Amino acid sequence: MSDENLRDLAEVDRIIHEPARLMISTILYTVKEADFLFLLNESGLTKGNLSSHLNKLEEAGYINIRKIFKDKKPQTLCSMTPKGRSAFEEYRNHFKKIMQKMNGE
Amino acid sequence: MKDKIGQVIRKTYSYWWVDGMAEIGMGLFFGILAGYNYLIESLPFSKTLGILMAVAEPLVFVACWFGYGRLVKWVKEVFTYRRTGYVAYQTKNRKRRTVGAVIGGVLGFSIALVINYIGPEVLKINSLTMIGSLLALVTLFLAIWYGINRLFVVAVAEFGLGLWASSLALDADLQSILLMAAIGGIWLLSGLAAFVSYLMKTKPEQEDV
């Protein structure tokens, strides 16, 4: 791997690049909104882990989290913000370019 | 990495099929259409009423579609969202809806052309065999794209039913009605099997407060 590729890798969005957060971001990018239970089932993470990753994404302004009560039961709804969408698209494009460069070597 | 992201996206979309409701809806849709057409064909309606019923068929289509949407929403609220979570998919904007409608129209016209002209006139294939084969192809595409194995069985059954219906020594209209009903039955069976399996594999969950 060349120095240039290493530099490119260092520039990827680390908030999204972490595997669990990448999976959560991909899911939320695909849908309009999803609840905690869905993300839990799809990601296979523990409740604590998922909460922690969701908080990091929320702190970065990439997702919105709102808590509601439905039929007297708590429900946490998550959706991706426009900032999160463009960050995810940028990440995908950036990573695609890196992979193309690496495969071209 | 690109493939992994693609896989997650497809898996997220395939959640729509997790409880078998999509198939049950398709089954009911075909079943109602078959029943409606059977009514038009078999009952001793007056000519005027027969024409009215035939003209009203697109409305039945639309009513079935809305009814299906409401049924799916209700079942998902009661069973699916409480067990494996809630998800709302992106709604298409006006441009994407227009493009979708144009593609749908072109596709519908092409399919009608294949079924009614190219199949029987050029390829010398019975139109019911063509319908079965085309439905099988669409189902095969869904099976591969969403990664739902049971749809491979449905696709094979549709192809077989197309051949079976075209071999029946019956009036052409009755053959079509039987094919619609049989295909509806296959979708319904597949959906019910998936729904029972889903209920057995999952249980209602709740978030911690």
Short mmCIF file of all heavy atoms in Angstrom, two decimals, chain A residues 17 22-23 26-27 29-38 41-42 47 70-71 73-77 85 88 91-92 95, chain B residues 1-2 4-6 8-13 15 77 80-91 205-209:
data_model
loop_
_atom_site.label_atom_id
_atom_site.label_comp_id
_atom_site.label_asym_id
_atom_site.label_seq_id
_atom_site.Cartn_x
_atom_site.Cartn_y
_atom_site.Cartn_z
N HIS A 17 -16.71 4.94 9.93
CA HIS A 17 -15.85 3.81 9.55
C HIS A 17 -15.87 2.64 10.54
O HIS A 17 -15.65 1.49 10.14
CB HIS A 17 -14.41 4.31 9.37
CG HIS A 17 -13.48 3.29 8.80
ND1 HIS A 17 -13.69 2.74 7.55
CD2 HIS A 17 -12.37 2.70 9.30
CE1 HIS A 17 -12.73 1.86 7.32
NE2 HIS A 17 -11.92 1.82 8.36
N LEU A 22 -20.89 1.63 10.99
CA LEU A 22 -21.09 1.58 9.54
C LEU A 22 -22.37 0.81 9.23
O LEU A 22 -23.16 1.19 8.36
CB LEU A 22 -19.87 0.92 8.87
CG LEU A 22 -19.96 0.78 7.35
CD1 LEU A 22 -20.15 2.12 6.66
CD2 LEU A 22 -18.69 0.11 6.81
N MET A 23 -22.56 -0.29 9.97
CA MET A 23 -23.78 -1.09 9.75
C MET A 23 -25.03 -0.29 10.12
O MET A 23 -25.99 -0.22 9.35
CB MET A 23 -23.72 -2.37 10.58
CG MET A 23 -24.94 -3.25 10.38
SD MET A 23 -24.92 -4.65 11.45
CE MET A 23 -24.38 -5.87 10.31
N THR A 26 -25.59 2.39 7.56
CA THR A 26 -26.12 1.84 6.30
C THR A 26 -27.61 1.57 6.42
O THR A 26 -28.39 1.89 5.52
CB THR A 26 -25.37 0.54 5.92
OG1 THR A 26 -23.98 0.79 5.92
CG2 THR A 26 -25.78 0.04 4.56
N ILE A 27 -28.01 0.98 7.55
CA ILE A 27 -29.44 0.68 7.75
C ILE A 27 -30.24 1.98 7.76
O ILE A 27 -31.24 2.12 7.06
CB ILE A 27 -29.66 -0.10 9.07
CG1 ILE A 27 -29.04 -1.49 8.98
CG2 ILE A 27 -31.16 -0.21 9.39
CD1 ILE A 27 -29.00 -2.26 10.29
N TYR A 29 -29.45 4.83 6.56
CA TYR A 29 -29.40 5.51 5.27
C TYR A 29 -30.47 4.92 4.34
O TYR A 29 -31.07 5.63 3.54
CB TYR A 29 -28.01 5.33 4.65
CG TYR A 29 -27.85 5.97 3.30
CD1 TYR A 29 -27.65 7.34 3.18
CD2 TYR A 29 -27.92 5.21 2.13
CE1 TYR A 29 -27.52 7.94 1.94
CE2 TYR A 29 -27.78 5.79 0.90
CZ TYR A 29 -27.58 7.16 0.80
OH TYR A 29 -27.46 7.74 -0.44
N THR A 30 -30.70 3.60 4.49
CA THR A 30 -31.66 2.90 3.62
C THR A 30 -33.10 3.25 3.94
O THR A 30 -33.94 3.28 3.05
CB THR A 30 -31.45 1.36 3.75
OG1 THR A 30 -30.07 1.08 3.61
CG2 THR A 30 -32.23 0.59 2.73
N VAL A 31 -33.39 3.46 5.23
CA VAL A 31 -34.79 3.65 5.64
C VAL A 31 -35.08 5.10 6.02
O VAL A 31 -34.17 5.93 6.13
CB VAL A 31 -35.14 2.72 6.84
CG1 VAL A 31 -34.90 1.27 6.48
CG2 VAL A 31 -34.36 3.11 8.08
N LYS A 32 -36.37 5.36 6.22
CA LYS A 32 -36.76 6.70 6.68
C LYS A 32 -36.52 6.80 8.17
O LYS A 32 -35.92 7.74 8.67
CB LYS A 32 -38.24 6.90 6.37
CG LYS A 32 -38.74 8.29 6.50
CD LYS A 32 -40.15 8.35 5.94
CE LYS A 32 -41.02 9.28 6.71
NZ LYS A 32 -42.44 9.05 6.46
N GLU A 33 -37.00 5.79 8.91
CA GLU A 33 -36.70 5.69 10.34
C GLU A 33 -36.86 4.25 10.79
O GLU A 33 -37.55 3.45 10.16
CB GLU A 33 -37.58 6.64 11.18
CG GLU A 33 -39.04 6.33 11.19
CD GLU A 33 -39.82 7.27 12.10
OE1 GLU A 33 -39.24 8.12 12.79
OE2 GLU A 33 -41.06 7.13 12.11
N ALA A 34 -36.17 3.94 11.88
CA ALA A 34 -36.24 2.58 12.43
C ALA A 34 -36.17 2.69 13.94
O ALA A 34 -35.61 3.65 14.47
CB ALA A 34 -35.08 1.76 11.91
N ASP A 35 -36.74 1.70 14.62
CA ASP A 35 -36.67 1.79 16.08
C ASP A 35 -35.50 0.97 16.63
O ASP A 35 -34.82 0.23 15.90
CB ASP A 35 -38.01 1.42 16.73
CG ASP A 35 -38.35 -0.05 16.64
OD1 ASP A 35 -37.55 -0.81 16.05
OD2 ASP A 35 -39.40 -0.45 17.16
N PHE A 36 -35.29 1.12 17.91
CA PHE A 36 -34.15 0.49 18.58
C PHE A 36 -34.19 -1.03 18.42
O PHE A 36 -33.16 -1.67 18.18
CB PHE A 36 -34.20 0.87 20.07
CG PHE A 36 -32.99 0.48 20.85
CD1 PHE A 36 -31.86 1.28 20.85
CD2 PHE A 36 -32.98 -0.68 21.59
CE1 PHE A 36 -30.73 0.93 21.56
CE2 PHE A 36 -31.86 -1.05 22.32
CZ PHE A 36 -30.73 -0.24 22.31
N LEU A 37 -35.40 -1.60 18.54
CA LEU A 37 -35.56 -3.05 18.45
C LEU A 37 -35.13 -3.57 17.08
O LEU A 37 -34.45 -4.61 16.99
CB LEU A 37 -37.04 -3.39 18.71
CG LEU A 37 -37.40 -4.84 18.95
CD1 LEU A 37 -36.62 -5.44 20.09
CD2 LEU A 37 -38.91 -4.96 19.23
N PHE A 38 -35.49 -2.86 16.04
CA PHE A 38 -35.11 -3.26 14.69
C PHE A 38 -33.59 -3.22 14.54
O PHE A 38 -32.97 -4.16 14.04
CB PHE A 38 -35.77 -2.34 13.66
CG PHE A 38 -35.36 -2.63 12.25
CD1 PHE A 38 -35.91 -3.70 11.56
CD2 PHE A 38 -34.42 -1.84 11.60
CE1 PHE A 38 -35.52 -3.98 10.25
CE2 PHE A 38 -34.03 -2.11 10.29
CZ PHE A 38 -34.59 -3.18 9.62
N ASN A 41 -31.96 -6.11 16.39
CA ASN A 41 -32.08 -7.38 15.68
C ASN A 41 -31.19 -7.44 14.45
O ASN A 41 -30.57 -8.46 14.16
CB ASN A 41 -33.53 -7.61 15.24
CG ASN A 41 -34.36 -8.21 16.36
OD1 ASN A 41 -33.97 -9.18 16.98
ND2 ASN A 41 -35.50 -7.60 16.63
N GLU A 42 -31.13 -6.35 13.72
CA GLU A 42 -30.38 -6.35 12.47
C GLU A 42 -28.88 -6.31 12.71
O GLU A 42 -28.12 -6.92 11.98
CB GLU A 42 -30.79 -5.15 11.60
CG GLU A 42 -32.19 -5.25 11.05
CD GLU A 42 -32.41 -6.42 10.10
OE1 GLU A 42 -31.69 -6.51 9.10
OE2 GLU A 42 -33.30 -7.24 10.39
N LYS A 47 -27.68 -4.40 23.75
CA LYS A 47 -28.41 -3.14 23.94
C LYS A 47 -27.46 -2.00 24.31
O LYS A 47 -27.55 -0.90 23.79
CB LYS A 47 -29.47 -3.31 25.03
CG LYS A 47 -30.66 -4.13 24.56
CD LYS A 47 -31.72 -4.24 25.63
CE LYS A 47 -32.89 -5.05 25.11
NZ LYS A 47 -33.95 -5.25 26.10
N LYS A 70 -45.59 4.26 22.90
CA LYS A 70 -46.64 3.76 22.04
C LYS A 70 -47.35 2.64 22.81
O LYS A 70 -46.71 1.68 23.23
CB LYS A 70 -46.03 3.22 20.74
CG LYS A 70 -47.06 3.08 19.66
CD LYS A 70 -46.41 2.81 18.32
CE LYS A 70 -47.44 2.90 17.24
NZ LYS A 70 -46.91 2.51 15.94
N ASP A 71 -48.64 2.79 22.99
CA ASP A 71 -49.42 1.84 23.80
C ASP A 71 -48.77 1.67 25.18
O ASP A 71 -48.60 0.55 25.66
CB ASP A 71 -49.55 0.48 23.12
CG ASP A 71 -50.27 0.59 21.78
OD1 ASP A 71 -51.16 1.46 21.67
OD2 ASP A 71 -49.92 -0.18 20.87
N LYS A 73 -45.82 1.79 25.95
CA LYS A 73 -44.51 1.13 25.91
C LYS A 73 -43.49 2.07 25.28
O LYS A 73 -43.81 2.76 24.30
CB LYS A 73 -44.59 -0.16 25.10
CG LYS A 73 -45.32 -1.27 25.83
CD LYS A 73 -45.61 -2.42 24.90
CE LYS A 73 -46.58 -3.39 25.58
NZ LYS A 73 -47.29 -4.21 24.63
N PRO A 74 -42.26 2.09 25.81
CA PRO A 74 -41.26 3.02 25.25
C PRO A 74 -40.78 2.58 23.87
O PRO A 74 -40.63 1.38 23.62
CB PRO A 74 -40.13 2.95 26.27
CG PRO A 74 -40.25 1.62 26.90
CD PRO A 74 -41.71 1.28 26.91
N GLN A 75 -40.54 3.54 23.03
CA GLN A 75 -40.01 3.24 21.69
C GLN A 75 -39.00 4.32 21.32
O GLN A 75 -39.30 5.51 21.44
CB GLN A 75 -41.14 3.19 20.67
CG GLN A 75 -40.71 2.60 19.33
CD GLN A 75 -41.84 2.56 18.31
OE1 GLN A 75 -42.81 3.30 18.40
NE2 GLN A 75 -41.70 1.69 17.32
N THR A 76 -37.81 3.88 20.90
CA THR A 76 -36.78 4.82 20.48
C THR A 76 -36.69 4.82 18.97
O THR A 76 -36.40 3.78 18.37
CB THR A 76 -35.41 4.41 21.08
OG1 THR A 76 -35.57 4.27 22.49
CG2 THR A 76 -34.34 5.43 20.79
N LEU A 77 -36.98 5.95 18.37
CA LEU A 77 -36.98 6.03 16.91
C LEU A 77 -35.72 6.76 16.42
O LEU A 77 -35.38 7.82 16.94
CB LEU A 77 -38.22 6.77 16.42
CG LEU A 77 -39.54 6.04 16.66
CD1 LEU A 77 -40.72 6.97 16.38
CD2 LEU A 77 -39.64 4.79 15.81
N ARG A 85 -26.61 11.81 6.01
CA ARG A 85 -26.74 11.25 4.66
C ARG A 85 -25.56 11.67 3.78
O ARG A 85 -24.97 10.83 3.09
CB ARG A 85 -28.04 11.71 4.00
CG ARG A 85 -29.24 11.10 4.60
CD ARG A 85 -30.51 11.24 3.81
NE ARG A 85 -31.45 10.36 4.49
CZ ARG A 85 -31.59 9.08 4.25
NH1 ARG A 85 -30.90 8.52 3.29
NH2 ARG A 85 -32.42 8.34 4.93
N PHE A 88 -22.42 9.92 4.92
CA PHE A 88 -22.41 8.52 4.53
C PHE A 88 -22.07 8.38 3.03
O PHE A 88 -21.25 7.54 2.65
CB PHE A 88 -23.76 7.86 4.82
CG PHE A 88 -23.82 6.41 4.48
CD1 PHE A 88 -23.26 5.46 5.33
CD2 PHE A 88 -24.44 5.97 3.32
CE1 PHE A 88 -23.31 4.11 5.00
CE2 PHE A 88 -24.49 4.63 2.99
CZ PHE A 88 -23.93 3.69 3.83
N TYR A 91 -18.48 9.10 2.56
CA TYR A 91 -17.69 7.96 3.03
C TYR A 91 -17.65 6.86 1.97
O TYR A 91 -16.59 6.31 1.66
CB TYR A 91 -18.28 7.41 4.34
CG TYR A 91 -17.64 6.11 4.78
CD1 TYR A 91 -16.46 6.11 5.52
CD2 TYR A 91 -18.20 4.89 4.42
CE1 TYR A 91 -15.86 4.92 5.89
CE2 TYR A 91 -17.60 3.70 4.78
CZ TYR A 91 -16.44 3.72 5.51
OH TYR A 91 -15.84 2.54 5.86
N ARG A 92 -18.82 6.55 1.42
CA ARG A 92 -18.91 5.49 0.41
C ARG A 92 -18.07 5.82 -0.81
O ARG A 92 -17.32 4.98 -1.32
CB ARG A 92 -20.36 5.29 -0.04
CG ARG A 92 -21.10 4.29 0.79
CD ARG A 92 -22.46 4.04 0.21
NE ARG A 92 -22.45 2.89 -0.69
CZ ARG A 92 -23.56 2.38 -1.23
NH1 ARG A 92 -24.72 2.92 -0.98
NH2 ARG A 92 -23.49 1.33 -2.02
N PHE A 95 -14.31 5.73 0.07
CA PHE A 95 -13.82 4.36 0.24
C PHE A 95 -13.74 3.64 -1.11
O PHE A 95 -12.83 2.86 -1.35
CB PHE A 95 -14.70 3.58 1.22
CG PHE A 95 -13.91 2.60 2.03
CD1 PHE A 95 -13.30 3.00 3.21
CD2 PHE A 95 -13.73 1.30 1.59
CE1 PHE A 95 -12.52 2.11 3.93
CE2 PHE A 95 -12.95 0.41 2.31
CZ PHE A 95 -12.36 0.81 3.49
N MET B 1 -15.86 -4.20 0.91
CA MET B 1 -16.59 -3.21 1.73
C MET B 1 -17.87 -2.76 1.02
O MET B 1 -18.94 -2.73 1.59
CB MET B 1 -15.67 -2.02 2.01
CG MET B 1 -16.30 -0.90 2.80
SD MET B 1 -16.68 -1.34 4.51
CE MET B 1 -15.06 -1.19 5.22
N LYS B 2 -17.69 -2.49 -0.32
CA LYS B 2 -18.83 -2.03 -1.10
C LYS B 2 -19.92 -3.10 -1.09
O LYS B 2 -21.11 -2.81 -0.92
CB LYS B 2 -18.36 -1.74 -2.53
CG LYS B 2 -19.37 -1.00 -3.35
CD LYS B 2 -18.89 -0.90 -4.77
CE LYS B 2 -20.06 -0.63 -5.69
NZ LYS B 2 -19.75 -0.92 -7.06
N LYS B 4 -20.37 -5.42 1.17
CA LYS B 4 -20.94 -5.54 2.52
C LYS B 4 -22.05 -4.50 2.71
O LYS B 4 -23.11 -4.81 3.24
CB LYS B 4 -19.86 -5.34 3.59
CG LYS B 4 -18.84 -6.44 3.64
CD LYS B 4 -19.31 -7.58 4.50
CE LYS B 4 -18.25 -8.68 4.52
NZ LYS B 4 -18.81 -10.00 4.80
N ILE B 5 -21.77 -3.28 2.27
CA ILE B 5 -22.78 -2.23 2.40
C ILE B 5 -24.01 -2.60 1.57
O ILE B 5 -25.14 -2.49 2.04
CB ILE B 5 -22.19 -0.85 1.97
CG1 ILE B 5 -21.18 -0.38 3.01
CG2 ILE B 5 -23.29 0.20 1.81
CD1 ILE B 5 -20.44 0.89 2.68
N GLY B 6 -23.78 -3.09 0.36
CA GLY B 6 -24.87 -3.53 -0.50
C GLY B 6 -25.69 -4.63 0.16
O GLY B 6 -26.92 -4.63 0.10
N VAL B 8 -26.04 -5.20 3.39
CA VAL B 8 -26.82 -4.64 4.50
C VAL B 8 -28.06 -3.92 3.96
O VAL B 8 -29.16 -4.05 4.50
CB VAL B 8 -25.96 -3.69 5.38
CG1 VAL B 8 -26.80 -3.00 6.44
CG2 VAL B 8 -24.82 -4.45 6.04
N ILE B 9 -27.87 -3.19 2.85
CA ILE B 9 -29.01 -2.48 2.25
C ILE B 9 -30.08 -3.47 1.81
O ILE B 9 -31.27 -3.31 2.11
CB ILE B 9 -28.53 -1.60 1.07
CG1 ILE B 9 -27.71 -0.42 1.61
CG2 ILE B 9 -29.71 -1.09 0.25
CD1 ILE B 9 -27.04 0.44 0.56
N ARG B 10 -29.66 -4.53 1.12
CA ARG B 10 -30.63 -5.53 0.66
C ARG B 10 -31.32 -6.22 1.83
O ARG B 10 -32.51 -6.47 1.81
CB ARG B 10 -29.92 -6.59 -0.18
CG ARG B 10 -29.63 -6.12 -1.56
CD ARG B 10 -28.96 -7.19 -2.36
NE ARG B 10 -28.42 -6.64 -3.58
CZ ARG B 10 -28.13 -7.36 -4.65
NH1 ARG B 10 -28.30 -8.66 -4.63
NH2 ARG B 10 -27.64 -6.80 -5.72
N LYS B 11 -30.53 -6.54 2.87
CA LYS B 11 -31.10 -7.21 4.05
C LYS B 11 -32.14 -6.30 4.71
O LYS B 11 -33.18 -6.76 5.17
CB LYS B 11 -29.99 -7.58 5.03
CG LYS B 11 -30.45 -8.54 6.11
CD LYS B 11 -29.27 -9.12 6.88
CE LYS B 11 -29.78 -10.02 8.00
NZ LYS B 11 -30.30 -9.27 9.13
N THR B 12 -31.84 -5.01 4.74
CA THR B 12 -32.78 -4.06 5.34
C THR B 12 -34.09 -4.03 4.54
O THR B 12 -35.17 -4.03 5.11
CB THR B 12 -32.15 -2.65 5.40
OG1 THR B 12 -30.89 -2.77 6.07
CG2 THR B 12 -33.02 -1.67 6.16
N TYR B 13 -33.95 -4.02 3.22
CA TYR B 13 -35.16 -4.02 2.39
C TYR B 13 -35.92 -5.35 2.53
O TYR B 13 -37.15 -5.37 2.50
CB TYR B 13 -34.81 -3.80 0.92
CG TYR B 13 -34.61 -2.35 0.55
CD1 TYR B 13 -33.43 -1.90 -0.03
CD2 TYR B 13 -35.61 -1.41 0.78
CE1 TYR B 13 -33.25 -0.57 -0.37
CE2 TYR B 13 -35.43 -0.08 0.44
CZ TYR B 13 -34.26 0.35 -0.13
OH TYR B 13 -34.08 1.67 -0.46
N TYR B 15 -36.50 -7.02 4.96
CA TYR B 15 -37.30 -7.09 6.20
C TYR B 15 -38.79 -7.01 5.87
O TYR B 15 -39.63 -7.50 6.61
CB TYR B 15 -36.88 -5.94 7.14
CG TYR B 15 -37.56 -5.96 8.49
CD1 TYR B 15 -37.35 -7.01 9.37
CD2 TYR B 15 -38.41 -4.92 8.89
CE1 TYR B 15 -37.97 -7.03 10.61
CE2 TYR B 15 -39.03 -4.94 10.13
CZ TYR B 15 -38.80 -5.99 10.98
OH TYR B 15 -39.42 -6.01 12.21
N GLU B 77 -48.25 -3.79 12.65
CA GLU B 77 -48.37 -3.08 13.94
C GLU B 77 -48.60 -4.09 15.07
O GLU B 77 -48.03 -3.97 16.15
CB GLU B 77 -49.57 -2.12 13.92
CG GLU B 77 -49.40 -0.92 13.00
CD GLU B 77 -48.78 0.27 13.69
OE1 GLU B 77 -48.61 0.22 14.91
OE2 GLU B 77 -48.45 1.24 12.97
N THR B 80 -45.46 -7.80 13.84
CA THR B 80 -44.05 -7.67 13.45
C THR B 80 -43.29 -6.61 14.25
O THR B 80 -42.22 -6.91 14.79
CB THR B 80 -43.96 -7.33 11.94
OG1 THR B 80 -44.91 -8.13 11.25
CG2 THR B 80 -42.59 -7.60 11.40
N TYR B 81 -43.83 -5.39 14.33
CA TYR B 81 -43.09 -4.32 14.99
C TYR B 81 -42.85 -4.63 16.47
O TYR B 81 -41.89 -4.18 17.05
CB TYR B 81 -43.83 -2.98 14.84
CG TYR B 81 -44.00 -2.52 13.41
CD1 TYR B 81 -44.99 -1.61 13.07
CD2 TYR B 81 -43.17 -2.99 12.41
CE1 TYR B 81 -45.15 -1.19 11.75
CE2 TYR B 81 -43.32 -2.57 11.09
CZ TYR B 81 -44.32 -1.68 10.77
OH TYR B 81 -44.47 -1.27 9.47
N ARG B 82 -43.75 -5.39 17.07
CA ARG B 82 -43.59 -5.72 18.49
C ARG B 82 -42.57 -6.83 18.70
O ARG B 82 -42.12 -7.06 19.81
CB ARG B 82 -44.93 -6.16 19.08
CG ARG B 82 -45.92 -5.01 19.16
CD ARG B 82 -47.23 -5.44 19.71
NE ARG B 82 -48.20 -4.35 19.59
CZ ARG B 82 -49.44 -4.43 20.00
NH1 ARG B 82 -49.88 -5.54 20.56
NH2 ARG B 82 -50.25 -3.41 19.87
N ARG B 83 -42.27 -7.57 17.64
CA ARG B 83 -41.37 -8.70 17.79
C ARG B 83 -39.96 -8.37 17.29
O ARG B 83 -38.98 -8.64 17.99
CB ARG B 83 -41.91 -9.90 17.00
CG ARG B 83 -43.11 -10.51 17.66
CD ARG B 83 -43.85 -11.47 16.78
NE ARG B 83 -45.00 -11.99 17.47
CZ ARG B 83 -45.04 -13.17 18.08
NH1 ARG B 83 -44.01 -13.97 18.03
NH2 ARG B 83 -46.12 -13.55 18.72
N THR B 84 -39.87 -7.86 16.07
CA THR B 84 -38.54 -7.64 15.51
C THR B 84 -38.28 -6.19 15.13
O THR B 84 -37.28 -5.90 14.48
CB THR B 84 -38.30 -8.57 14.28
OG1 THR B 84 -39.47 -8.54 13.47
CG2 THR B 84 -38.03 -9.99 14.72
N GLY B 85 -39.16 -5.32 15.57
CA GLY B 85 -38.88 -3.90 15.40
C GLY B 85 -39.61 -3.21 14.27
O GLY B 85 -40.10 -3.85 13.33
N TYR B 86 -39.65 -1.90 14.42
CA TYR B 86 -40.37 -1.05 13.46
C TYR B 86 -39.40 -0.41 12.47
O TYR B 86 -38.32 0.02 12.85
CB TYR B 86 -41.11 0.05 14.23
CG TYR B 86 -41.55 1.23 13.41
CD1 TYR B 86 -42.69 1.17 12.62
CD2 TYR B 86 -40.81 2.41 13.43
CE1 TYR B 86 -43.08 2.27 11.87
CE2 TYR B 86 -41.20 3.51 12.68
CZ TYR B 86 -42.34 3.43 11.91
OH TYR B 86 -42.72 4.51 11.16
N VAL B 87 -39.83 -0.37 11.23
CA VAL B 87 -39.04 0.33 10.24
C VAL B 87 -39.98 0.98 9.22
O VAL B 87 -41.01 0.41 8.87
CB VAL B 87 -38.02 -0.62 9.55
CG1 VAL B 87 -38.69 -1.72 8.77
CG2 VAL B 87 -37.08 0.13 8.66
N ALA B 88 -39.65 2.20 8.82
CA ALA B 88 -40.43 2.87 7.77
C ALA B 88 -39.48 3.14 6.63
O ALA B 88 -38.39 3.69 6.84
CB ALA B 88 -41.01 4.17 8.30
N TYR B 89 -39.86 2.72 5.44
CA TYR B 89 -38.98 2.90 4.29
C TYR B 89 -39.13 4.30 3.70
O TYR B 89 -40.13 4.98 3.94
CB TYR B 89 -39.28 1.84 3.23
CG TYR B 89 -38.92 0.45 3.72
CD1 TYR B 89 -39.90 -0.38 4.26
CD2 TYR B 89 -37.61 0.00 3.69
CE1 TYR B 89 -39.57 -1.64 4.75
CE2 TYR B 89 -37.28 -1.24 4.17
CZ TYR B 89 -38.26 -2.06 4.70
OH TYR B 89 -37.93 -3.29 5.18
N GLN B 90 -38.14 4.70 2.94
CA GLN B 90 -38.15 6.02 2.30
C GLN B 90 -39.32 6.12 1.33
O GLN B 90 -39.58 5.17 0.60
CB GLN B 90 -36.87 6.22 1.47
CG GLN B 90 -35.60 6.13 2.26
CD GLN B 90 -35.26 7.43 2.95
OE1 GLN B 90 -36.02 8.39 2.89
NE2 GLN B 90 -34.14 7.47 3.63
N THR B 91 -40.00 7.24 1.37
CA THR B 91 -41.05 7.43 0.37
C THR B 91 -40.41 8.08 -0.86
O THR B 91 -39.48 8.87 -0.73
CB THR B 91 -42.17 8.34 0.90
OG1 THR B 91 -41.56 9.46 1.52
CG2 THR B 91 -43.06 7.61 1.88
N GLU B 205 -41.02 -8.36 22.04
CA GLU B 205 -39.90 -7.79 22.81
C GLU B 205 -40.28 -6.37 23.22
O GLU B 205 -41.17 -5.76 22.64
CB GLU B 205 -38.65 -7.70 21.94
CG GLU B 205 -38.17 -9.01 21.37
CD GLU B 205 -37.19 -9.73 22.27
OE1 GLU B 205 -36.81 -9.14 23.31
OE2 GLU B 205 -36.85 -10.87 21.96
N GLN B 206 -39.58 -5.88 24.20
CA GLN B 206 -39.83 -4.51 24.63
C GLN B 206 -38.53 -3.82 24.98
O GLN B 206 -37.62 -4.46 25.52
CB GLN B 206 -40.77 -4.54 25.86
CG GLN B 206 -41.40 -3.19 26.14
CD GLN B 206 -42.32 -3.28 27.35
OE1 GLN B 206 -43.07 -4.23 27.48
NE2 GLN B 206 -42.23 -2.30 28.21
N GLU B 207 -38.45 -2.55 24.66
CA GLU B 207 -37.27 -1.78 25.04
C GLU B 207 -37.26 -1.57 26.54
O GLU B 207 -38.32 -1.48 27.15
CB GLU B 207 -37.30 -0.40 24.38
CG GLU B 207 -36.94 -0.39 22.94
CD GLU B 207 -36.95 1.02 22.37
OE1 GLU B 207 -36.79 1.99 23.14
OE2 GLU B 207 -37.13 1.15 21.17
N ASP B 208 -36.07 -1.47 27.10
CA ASP B 208 -35.99 -1.12 28.52
C ASP B 208 -36.30 0.36 28.67
O ASP B 208 -35.97 1.16 27.81
CB ASP B 208 -34.58 -1.39 29.06
CG ASP B 208 -34.25 -2.87 28.97
OD1 ASP B 208 -35.20 -3.68 29.06
OD2 ASP B 208 -33.08 -3.19 28.77
N VAL B 209 -37.00 0.68 29.76
CA VAL B 209 -37.32 2.09 29.99
C VAL B 209 -36.07 2.83 30.47
O VAL B 209 -35.36 2.33 31.30
CB VAL B 209 -38.44 2.24 31.04
CG1 VAL B 209 -38.86 3.71 31.18
CG2 VAL B 209 -39.63 1.41 30.66
#
